[in-house]
Amino acid sequence: DTTAVKPPKISLFAAAWADGVAVLAVVTAAVFVLKLSGHHDIGPAVPWAAGLAVAWWIAAASSLVTVRQGTPGMLLAGVHFSDSVAPARVWSVVVVAAISTLLLGLPGLLGVDRSPLAAAGGRPLETVPAD
């Protein structure tokens, strides 16, 4: 069955949180590597690690929206765009996903039909099909 399934609001909410967790995972990994390499005062490196994490997420989200039709968090939450996002719209999807993450996923409560992500991508959102 190839019928598209609309994701529930909780999945849109979870997508934003998963994007945030992905960024925090990179920050944690960078700080952990610094600690393992013998640095004791890692406080000043945390903003650097956060910048690294945000840069990583922007690159990963842009690539994944282009190739897999979703940001890292969207794909982890089982949500993607119904079709390829136009190259000119990728940046807007990344910006809207970042804002949604900063707002702790609250835009997801608008649902699939009024989703800012769907508007930014110009494509409807659907559940990632299970194989």
Side-chain angles (χ1 to χ4, degrees):
D1 186 16
T2 59
T3 305
V5 177
K6 288 185 178 182
K9 289 180 183 179
I10 191 72
S11 293
L12 301 178
F13 188 75
W17 277 80
D19 278 325
V21 168
V23 170
L24 288 176
V26 176
V27 172
T28 303
V31 168
F32 185 69
V33 167
L34 288 172
K35 193 72 170 165
L36 282 179
S37 64
H39 298 281
H40 298 290
D41 185 22
I42 57 174
V46 172
W48 170 86
L52 170 72
V54 169
W56 169 84
W57 182 84
I58 290 169
S62 299
S63 299
L64 287 172
V65 166
T66 302
V67 176
R68 302 290 295 164
Q69 291 84 40
T71 67
M74 289 172 65
L75 297 173
L76 285 169
V79 177
H80 73 153
F81 292 101
S82 62
D83 200 4
S84 296
V85 174
R89 289 182 171 259
V90 170
W91 71 270
S92 62
V93 170
V94 171
V95 168
V96 168
I99 291 169
S100 182
T101 298
L102 291 172
L103 293 174
L104 302 176
L106 292 176
L109 297 176
L110 295 171
V112 170
D113 295 327
R114 294 182 291 162
S115 170
L117 273 173
R123 301 276 187 247
L125 297 174
E126 61 184 31
T127 302
V128 175
D131 292 334

